[in-house]
Amino acid sequence: MNGVINANRTLGRRDPMIYGHFIEHFHRQIYGGVYDPGNPLSDAEGFRQDVLEAMRRIHVPVLRWPGGCFVSSYHWKKAVGRRRTPFFDKAWRVEDPNDFGTDEYVALCRKIGCEPYICTNAGTGTAEEMSDWVEYCNLDHEGEFTKWRIANGHEKPFGVKYWSIGNENYGSWEIGAKSAQEWGRLVLESAKMMKHVDPTIELTAAALTDLDWNVNLLKNCGDRLDWISIHKYWDLVAETNDCVNYEQSMACTADLDGDLNKVRGLLTAMGLEKKIRVAYDEWNLRGWYHPNVHTVKQGVRPEDYLTPRDDNDINSLYTMADAVFSACFLNTCNRNCDLVGMANFAPIVNTRGCIFTHWDGIVLRSTYHVFDLYVNELGDEILDFWAKDPAQIEVKDKQGRTVSVDELDVLATRRTADNMLAVAAVNKNASESRVLGLAFDGAAPREYRICTVNGPEPESYNDIGREEIALRASAWAPVPADGAYALEPHSVNVIQFR
Ligand code: AHR
């Protein structure tokens, strides 16, 4: 494919928060994941230092917590202070010791240098409980809950700027699910009380790409919201874990901006496109595997619903398919940076996350290297790129249907810090290298290098003692006269120019 980069035409500047993450009280994300007090690799406060270091390296900008479905029957007051009350988590049907609560979460965010983003309980919770949480975190000295925070040893406010009202309260699987009408009312009253406590917070609420739900939400609360949240998992395998393979994953890249276009149209129709941005605050190619809990039929024996969750930890599931898909999704967020201000990979640690933990260390899965590449090597200004002759490839989706997708996914950027041009170039072809021909308007770079995330095969993966996928950078070399750049099969690349 050949294309032209117009270095004089900036389409927008992406918010760093599109490289955000999510962590939930599910399986080993918190306990045995980032928080592992009994492990010699953990610091004095119980946080895994190897995990913290990996999170710092990809400059996690924002970390959404504590759920997810977990939050819809979670009561934050039982998890702060000296006496913690263990509770039976009715979402995931396990006892949570409540050792990890708001104070520990804020300490975690401070250690990795990211913004906290708290999702509140709009399932069994109330507007008052949500606004009490804002008070606990953000007021300086006034109020019962502020004084409780101070008594717990935290003199200064936590300054939690980002708050969500609820998780997926539209879904029948969610505890405390709501109708569109109930949702509009609850969000309005919750937003009112939360902003009466701290008018500086930024609020989002669970939304859908479903018109009725969103119209009702925005009609009732559009003037009180700063964001609306949408979630997407493309391969829904909660009951089976029969994950899509590489080719089927490429079929999932067919319409990555479809949901965004619907939401964009709705916000524009309601005159809210300049006020409200999208927080894609849960996304992953692969839905999580947790059979017999999200359904009417609940597992009775642990082997029916609890031990199967360990199969999220099978590292061979997370291949170059995850890396290539995730790079295409992040390119989509960059292209829509006027609308998308936040995106949270779901989750960051264990389950389908980019960092896998075991007792003696961590495994950096394929998606981790995509975040490392994009956060550290790609620009923040999105430039105009004209693809002259884009090629398509035909792939089979999971249902065996033939789907046409762009063979290459290219995004042109400039890094404002040093004015360097950087082009993200994804080659989805499973077996063939492809040449990307690049010409420039308004720039004449002399040298280039290619930073590549790849492994030997489409189904390559990383595991304990096995590192097939890595991020590697070529040496700087003169820009080729023909402007042709070779892209390996099934690879994610950033071509840098100076
Ligand atoms: O499968 C995990 C769940 O996916 C999260 O808890 C929820 O937010 C989403 O439905």
Side-chain angles (χ1 to χ4, degrees):
M1 177 172 89
N2 298 291
V4 182
I5 295 164
N6 183 344
N8 294 323
R9 187 158 181 262
T10 297
L11 302 182
R13 177 166 297 172
R14 63 103 177 93
D15 190 312
M17 291 202 298
I18 67 168
Y19 300 125
H21 291 269
F22 170 52
I23 195 163
E24 177 166 2
H25 289 239
F26 173 81
H27 200 232
R28 296 192 314 112
Q29 294 178 29
I30 299 285
Y31 303 106
V34 68
Y35 186 66
D36 199 0
N39 190 302
L41 295 172
S42 295
D43 64 14
E45 293 170 271
F47 296 103
R48 280 285 293 267
Q49 296 178 89
D50 46 352
V51 177
L52 296 181
E53 186 45 43
M55 292 167 97
R56 289 188 198 105
R57 198 170 98 205
I58 56 174
H59 302 287
V60 173
V62 60
L63 184 66
R64 177 174 180 256
W65 170 83
C69 294
F70 167 84
V71 77
S72 291
S73 58
Y74 173 70
H75 297 289
W76 67 269
K77 295 171 184 173
K78 297 185 186 294
V80 292
R82 287 169 185 71
R83 241 176 52 76
R84 304 297 174 92
T85 317
F87 86 108
F88 186 74
D89 161 18
K90 297 182 182 70
W92 300 122
R93 303 181 59 208
V94 293
E95 179 177 272
D96 188 304
N98 268 335
D99 295 341
F100 186 98
T102 306
D103 297 0
E104 291 74 26
Y105 163 67
V106 170
L108 168 63
C109 292
R110 292 265 163 77
K111 285 173 179 275
I112 54 180
C114 76
E115 286 288 343
Y117 167 16
I118 292 179
C119 179
T120 64
N121 173 2
T124 63
T126 64
E128 186 162 49
E129 183 182 34
M130 297 179 206
S131 52
D132 290 349
W133 206 352
V134 177
E135 177 190 319
Y136 180 85
C137 291
N138 289 0
L139 291 195
D140 188 62
H141 59 278
E142 296 169 294
E144 171 192 357
F145 302 105
T146 306
K147 289 172 171 60
W148 191 14
R149 183 197 72 235
I150 294 167
N152 290 338
H154 306 284
E155 182 73 28
K156 291 287 170 229
F158 291 152
V160 179
K161 180 177 175 184
Y162 301 103
W163 295 81
S164 167
I165 298 171
N167 181 56
E168 297 176 349
N169 303 82
Y170 43 78
S172 57
W173 58 85
E174 193 85 8
I175 290 175
K178 299 284 185 301
S179 69
Q181 289 65 36
E182 291 166 330
W183 187 238
R185 291 287 310 135
L186 175 62
V187 172
L188 179 62
E189 291 310 312
S190 305
K192 190 191 301 180
M193 286 189 79
M194 293 169 84
K195 290 213 170 180
H196 281 196
V197 173
D198 181 353
T200 70
I201 61 172
E202 291 198 17
L203 267 185
T204 182
L208 259 181
T209 49
D210 166 274
L211 209 51
D212 292 344
W213 179 275
N214 280 0
V215 166
N216 198 64
L217 173 66
L218 293 170
K219 262 191 339 192
N220 276 282
C221 322
D223 57 347
R224 294 177 189 263
L225 295 178
D226 308 282
W227 305 78
I228 54 170
S229 295
I230 56 178
H231 293 177
K232 184 88 176 215
Y233 296 91
W234 280 258
D235 188 24
L236 300 176
V237 288
E239 297 302 318
T240 61
N241 208 29
D242 64 337
C243 294
V244 285
N245 62 26
Y246 182 88
E247 181 178 6
Q248 295 163 343
S249 301
M250 294 309 103
C252 297
T253 67
D255 183 24
L256 286 176
D257 48 11
D259 287 349
L260 289 174
N261 291 336
K262 286 182 199 167
V263 172
R264 183 192 293 280
L266 178 63
L267 290 173
T268 305
M270 300 185 80
L272 294 167
E273 76 282 4
K274 296 280 182 265
K275 180 182 185 302
I276 289 180
R277 290 195 289 170
V278 165
Y280 230 122
D281 57 20
E282 280 186 36
W283 71 270
N284 196 312
L285 165 64
R286 304 185 194 282
W288 305 0
Y289 178 48
H290 37 64
N292 301 316
V293 279
H294 259 202
T295 58
V296 175
K297 172 178 176 291
Q298 293 297 305
V300 176
R301 304 168 305 160
E303 52 269 35
D304 296 333
Y305 72 98
L306 209 50
T307 41
R309 297 176 193 178
D310 293 342
D311 290 350
N312 289 286
D313 286 348
I314 300 170
N315 285 313
S316 59
L317 291 171
Y318 311 108
T319 70
M320 280 310 299
D322 302 77
V324 168
F325 174 88
S326 297
C328 293
F329 176 81
L330 292 171
N331 285 353
T332 302
C333 291
N334 275 292
R335 284 190 200 97
N336 290 277
C337 61
D338 63 314
L339 177 66
V340 183
M342 184 193 306
N344 304 73
F345 189 58
I348 184 168
V349 176
N350 293 329
T351 311
R352 307 297 196 195
C354 58
I355 303 168
F356 169 79
T357 68
H358 56 97
W359 183 258
D360 302 311
I362 58 175
V363 173
L364 301 179
R365 290 170 170 166
S366 67
T367 44
Y368 180 88
H369 298 292
V370 173
F371 280 100
D372 189 2
L373 177 66
Y374 273 40
V375 166
N376 292 305
E377 307 301 344
L378 196 57
D380 53 302
E381 245 185 285
I382 313 307
L383 300 179
D384 178 43
F385 172 73
W386 171 46
K388 284 176 162 173
D389 49 0
Q392 299 248 306
I393 50 174
E394 292 197 334
V395 291
K396 292 282 188 204
D397 70 8
K398 201 172 193 175
Q399 289 68 40
R401 296 170 302 209
T402 300
V403 178
S404 283
V405 297
D406 288 337
E407 184 171 43
L408 303 188
D409 188 320
V410 180
L411 174 82
T413 73
R414 176 182 11 247
R415 197 161 64 179
T416 41
D418 57 9
N419 216 26
M420 182 176 71
L421 298 182
V423 178
V426 184
N427 178 9
K428 301 179 200 174
N429 193 303
S431 54
E432 305 296 327
S433 291
R434 282 294 177 260
V435 172
L436 174 61
L438 291 177
F440 296 85
D441 269 352
R446 294 186 314 283
E447 290 186 311
Y448 83 100
R449 73 170 186 168
I450 297 190
C451 305
T452 297
V453 171
N454 208 357
E457 303 298 332
E459 305 294 349
S460 291
Y461 64 93
N462 290 344
D463 204 340
I464 301 171
R466 174 193 181 123
E467 189 176 328
E468 290 190 331
I469 298 171
L471 166 57
R472 49 190 156 80
S474 70
W476 286 96
V479 166
D482 61 0
Y485 302 88
L487 305 176
E488 298 169 4
H490 53 75
S491 67
V492 179
N493 309 273
V494 168
I495 311 169
Q496 296 179 328
F497 296 91
R498 63 184 185 187

